[in-house]
Amino acid sequence: MKIPSLFYGSYTDVKKRVTTVAEHILQGKNFTSMLGQWRIVDSLTFDSGLYILRTHDDISIRQANFHFTLFHKALEDINGVAEDPFIDTFFSQLLNYDWGLLLLAQSKDGWFGSNMIKDNTIRRIPYLKAVLKFAKELDREGERFIGEDGRKGNFWKCNSSLREILNESTAPKELLSVPLNEALFRNICRKIAL
């Protein structure tokens, strides 16, 4: 993956940068047009740091990693709720990048559920299609991910949003009862006619 350096650093540093970007998004600035201000890190040549797919409150973490799931909290902190037409545009832009899918990987953020303001379940199919599109790239990253449970694993194990979406889909339950991997995900997508 080619990841913007926006996401790399200590938890506190990445959180500050993401909060600034979230403010710009809510002011109507295009996220894609902002990407040019960060150096691009090629994950194939850069093996330092894990891909953190969980948001936590422990700001004492100083080790540099890639922190991906901080946007939802930043948008909520600024806007009171992570719902806004500009956030819908931001969501759509993320689906164009393999690393963009990681920003949506924490199920507790509610990117794909219903809340009092909006039903976001319409985002599920576009997300699944994007995961299908980038499945090889995501699988290639190996066991660099840290999921909501704080354990290391691959994309398929650590992406709680993906598991939640699949559990609520029409996928055969026997396919969902085994550990997810790229081949199984592709099979599930065929079964639900993606």
Side-chain angles (χ1 to χ4, degrees):
M1 285 192 288
K2 303 217 183 307
I3 308 167
S5 60
L6 161 68
F7 303 108
Y8 185 74
S10 72
Y11 184 87
T12 306
D13 290 344
V14 175
K15 186 176 180 181
K16 285 178 193 170
R17 289 194 299 262
V18 164
T19 299
T20 300
V21 173
E23 289 169 351
H24 292 306
I25 290 168
L26 289 169
Q27 292 167 1
K29 293 191 179 168
N30 183 298
F31 178 66
T32 303
S33 67
M34 289 188 271
L35 291 175
Q37 64 186 296
W38 294 286
R39 182 176 59 91
I40 299 299
V41 177
D42 186 341
S43 67
L44 294 177
T45 60
F46 188 81
D47 60 3
S48 178
L50 297 169
Y51 301 156
I52 311 299
L53 303 183
R54 63 189 291 232
T55 305
H56 45 83
D57 296 325
D58 185 357
I59 60 171
S60 67
I61 299 168
R62 299 195 194 298
Q63 183 180 2
N65 286 302
F66 291 91
H67 298 276
F68 287 106
T69 56
L70 301 176
F71 262 106
H72 196 274
K73 178 85 168 90
L75 292 166
E76 279 184 342
D77 289 349
I78 297 163
N79 205 36
V81 63
E83 299 300 339
D84 187 281
F86 294 126
I87 296 171
D88 291 336
T89 301
F90 171 63
F91 174 87
S92 296
Q93 291 169 342
L94 292 177
L95 299 182
N96 294 312
Y97 304 98
D98 46 8
W99 54 262
L101 304 179
L102 304 181
L103 278 67
L104 310 167
Q106 182 173 239
S107 63
K108 73 177 185 176
D109 287 341
W111 286 107
F112 302 100
S114 294
N115 59 45
M116 292 174 51
I117 297 170
K118 189 172 177 196
D119 179 2
N120 289 317
T121 57
I122 58 167
R123 294 175 173 170
R124 291 176 180 177
I125 297 300
Y127 183 74
L128 290 176
K129 286 181 177 181
V131 171
L132 189 58
K133 176 182 173 182
F134 293 117
K136 285 200 182 312
E137 291 86 347
L138 295 163
D139 195 57
R140 191 179 305 132
E141 296 301 319
E143 299 215 350
R144 290 180 78 170
F145 299 86
I146 302 291
E148 279 184 44
D149 61 2
R151 294 196 173 133
K152 192 174 176 183
N154 61 25
F155 171 79
W156 310 103
K157 177 182 177 187
C158 295
N159 186 330
S160 59
S161 286
L162 180 60
R163 179 57 75 174
E164 181 178 272
I165 291 168
L166 292 175
N167 284 335
E168 294 176 8
S169 74
T170 58
K173 298 306 174 203
E174 65 273 8
L175 293 180
L176 300 176
S177 64
V178 296
L180 193 59
N181 59 40
E182 181 192 356
L184 179 58
F185 177 72
R186 288 185 184 283
N187 188 20
I188 291 170
C189 287
R190 281 190 291 277
K191 300 281 186 199
I192 60 176
L194 264 193

